[in-house]
Amino acid sequence: MTGKEAISYIENVPWQGTRLGLERTQELLAKLGNPEKQLRFVHVAGTNGKGSTASMTASVLRQAGYVTGLYISPFLQVFNERMSVNGANITDEELGELTERVQAIAEAMEDAPTEFEMMTAIAMLFFVKRQCDIVVLEVGMGGRLDSTNVIEAPEAAVICNIGLDHVKELGDTVEKIAYEKAGIIKRGSDAVLYQPSETGVEAVIRQVCQEHQVPLHIADFSRIAVLEDTIGGQTFSYKTYHDLHLQLLGSHQLRNAAVVVETIEVLRNRGYQISDEALQKGLAQTSWPGRFEVLHEAPVFIADGGHNRQCAEAVKDALKTYFPQKEILLIIGVLADKDYRAMIDLLVPMAKRIYTVTPDSPRALRAADLAKQLSCYEKPTDVCSGAAEAVAKAFADAREDDVICSVGSLYMIGEIRSAVLSENN
């Protein structure tokens, strides 16, 4: 099986979409010899920031000399991004080989695994094959019943920022969602928590930690001191760590970085050799596409895949911080099952012109329907056939000192990035 054939097979398995539960993944991995039991993990859950947090953590561990696996979802431009070791994606050859191995077992199962469950199994085989010292494992959805939660106690169970998202599957309050995220906390691990703004979230996490006798480490955002903050990056201190640098922009990324520092301290206490220099280099070298990412200058083009209220608030704050008094042209595409109205209310009033796009997802809200909902704002709005048209029109309309910002869904970030690169060339 080639890499292309593997991707086609995985993306066309009978069960697509969300189907929470561990039984299918457990059965699949058991028949593969339980590769996950040969690995050690940092398990990362949360509503927002888990991808950035996972990427930063993996970068620091890499700098410390550990063979480090990283498992993420979704991918932005190529499928192989979902699993990597020391920053290099799985090769097409490896993907084909491992998918073929999993396929034979999956097709014989009475209850067929989903696409995500198959990918999780393939990733475990890949990380064992590459002899990873540690794997940073990002949860797909929730935590308690997510496919990744088949692992035994991780070194650190990291809970990032929690908000209302996937309410149909996870619950309609932040406390219910926190309980699902806390499902990755297991006896024998340490827990690290993004300092929550809601007391109910912290109470839920503390209760779960007490039940499992797990130490809880909460990031203290009051100890973040910003030293420099420009479009070129941020320099800050956290606790006793000074002159830390991030390419990632926005105050929310400093808070994510504080969670990473807490995680690294946990790993040090568990015997991992991670120097301050490795921490500094790992943070400084982290790049995370599609998260308030600057793709072009004059005019500035920002791409952000945020898709809920918290993400929109972070984008709004960052635009105000880095581009005060600038006029904003907004490219927006959303999924119909997301709280896109909250995003619209936060971001559309900032824009002088809007371009609507239909993201590449069966759950997408059509660009024309989105434009109708924006009509009450009385902003000039273009309904675009795709990301490339929206990018081309925005560049044509923008003045050199304007800011173009693309928001709304990770499912269109890959196309947006490709279109901007084409414009750059």
Side-chain angles (χ1 to χ4, degrees):
M1 185 182 285
T2 66
K4 187 175 181 180
E5 288 169 341
I7 294 168
S8 177
Y9 174 74
I10 294 167
E11 291 183 339
N12 289 284
V13 296
W15 270 106
Q16 298 294 312
T18 302
R19 196 176 176 217
L20 294 174
L22 305 181
E23 298 83 4
R24 292 172 299 279
T25 309
Q26 287 169 334
E27 180 183 348
L28 183 56
L29 287 170
K31 290 177 178 177
L32 290 166
N34 288 117
E36 79 283 1
K37 293 185 178 179
Q38 300 177 49
L39 298 164
R40 293 187 290 179
F41 298 92
V42 172
H43 205 181
V44 184
T47 305
N48 296 309
K50 63 182 185 288
S52 301
T53 301
S55 183
M56 283 187 254
T57 303
S59 182
V60 173
L61 288 167
R62 218 162 45 235
Q63 287 298 321
Y66 292 99
V67 179
T68 306
L70 177 63
Y71 183 61
I72 63 166
S73 64
F75 67 91
L76 295 187
Q77 296 204 264
V78 295
F79 184 94
N80 307 53
E81 294 170 18
R82 289 183 178 271
M83 55 198 83
S84 60
V85 173
N86 285 354
N89 297 338
I90 186 172
T91 65
D92 285 343
E93 182 181 11
E94 288 171 310
L95 183 59
E97 171 200 335
L98 297 176
T99 301
E100 195 168 338
R101 184 175 166 189
V102 171
Q103 176 189 11
I105 295 170
E107 290 184 352
M109 288 171 58
E110 185 174 341
D111 189 5
T114 67
E115 173 188 2
F116 187 72
E117 290 165 350
M118 285 196 67
M119 286 190 303
T120 299
I122 292 164
M124 296 301 176
L125 291 173
F126 172 58
F127 295 136
V128 169
K129 180 175 182 288
R130 291 290 196 92
Q131 298 181 309
C132 287
D133 298 313
I134 191 164
V135 174
V136 182
L137 190 67
E138 181 187 346
V139 166
M141 181 191 294
R144 184 174 64 91
L145 297 177
D146 184 75
S147 173
T148 62
N149 205 32
V150 294
I151 65 171
E152 296 176 348
E155 303 293 309
V158 182
I159 312 291
C160 299
N161 195 11
I162 291 176
L164 289 175
D165 201 4
H166 299 296
V167 293
K168 181 180 177 183
E169 296 86 1
L170 304 179
D172 57 1
T173 68
V174 289
E175 289 81 10
K176 290 177 182 177
I177 292 173
Y179 175 76
E180 293 299 324
K181 308 290 185 187
I184 69 169
I185 298 170
K186 300 181 177 77
R187 188 185 297 264
S189 63
D190 278 64
V192 179
L193 178 63
Y194 181 106
Q195 185 179 355
S197 55
E198 301 88 354
T199 55
V201 168
E202 183 175 333
V204 169
I205 304 299
R206 282 193 180 279
Q207 178 63 34
V208 173
C209 286
Q210 287 171 6
E211 289 173 1
H212 294 290
Q213 298 181 342
V214 167
L216 176 61
H217 313 261
I218 303 177
D220 182 358
F221 299 150
S222 69
R223 301 186 69 181
I224 297 172
V226 180
L227 306 177
E228 185 179 23
D229 189 4
T230 71
I231 199 66
Q234 307 184 80
T235 303
F236 67 104
S237 296
Y238 177 66
K239 293 168 56 173
T240 60
Y241 303 91
H242 301 290
D243 294 319
L244 301 173
H245 182 76
L246 273 185
Q247 299 177 48
L248 309 181
L249 302 179
S251 58
H252 60 294
Q253 294 293 10
L254 297 182
R255 295 190 288 272
N256 291 335
V259 173
V260 173
V261 174
E262 296 290 341
T263 303
I264 296 305
E265 288 188 341
V266 162
L267 294 175
R268 282 174 169 170
N269 290 336
R270 296 175 74 95
Y272 289 80
Q273 301 299 310
I274 305 168
S275 67
D276 286 358
E277 182 182 12
L279 175 62
Q280 288 179 311
K281 284 186 176 180
L283 291 177
Q285 293 185 14
T286 302
S287 63
W288 195 233
R291 278 70 171 185
F292 209 80
E293 180 186 14
V294 180
L295 297 176
H296 189 274
E297 296 182 17
V300 169
F301 193 110
I302 301 289
D304 191 279
H307 50 263
N308 56 37
R309 175 187 287 275
Q310 286 178 312
C311 295
E313 288 172 345
V315 170
K316 180 179 178 179
D317 290 345
L319 287 171
K320 285 183 174 180
T321 297
Y322 297 111
F323 308 108
Q325 313 305 319
K326 298 281 187 179
E327 293 198 307
I328 309 295
L329 288 78
L330 191 67
I331 298 173
I332 184 167
V334 299
L335 301 186
D337 58 358
K338 295 294 184 181
D339 185 15
Y340 61 85
R341 291 177 182 83
M343 297 179 60
I344 289 169
D345 290 342
L346 286 162
L347 296 173
V348 169
M350 301 178 72
K352 74 169 182 177
R353 191 172 191 93
I354 302 163
Y355 310 84
T356 62
V357 178
T358 306
D360 183 18
S361 168
R363 295 151 52 206
L365 182 67
R366 293 174 59 84
D369 294 333
L370 177 58
K372 287 178 185 176
Q373 297 203 33
L374 299 178
S375 60
C376 61
Y377 292 94
E378 299 182 345
K379 304 269 186 176
T381 302
D382 292 305
V383 178
C384 301
S385 60
E389 181 185 349
V391 168
K393 282 188 173 182
F395 271 121
D397 293 339
R399 298 173 305 182
E400 194 170 276
D401 61 347
D402 286 343
V403 176
I404 305 167
C405 183
S406 171
V407 297
S409 176
L410 282 170
Y411 286 94
M412 70 178 192
I413 286 293
E415 291 181 74
I416 290 288
R417 296 179 85 249
S418 296
V420 174
L421 181 61
S422 178
E423 289 286 335
N424 288 348
N425 292 336

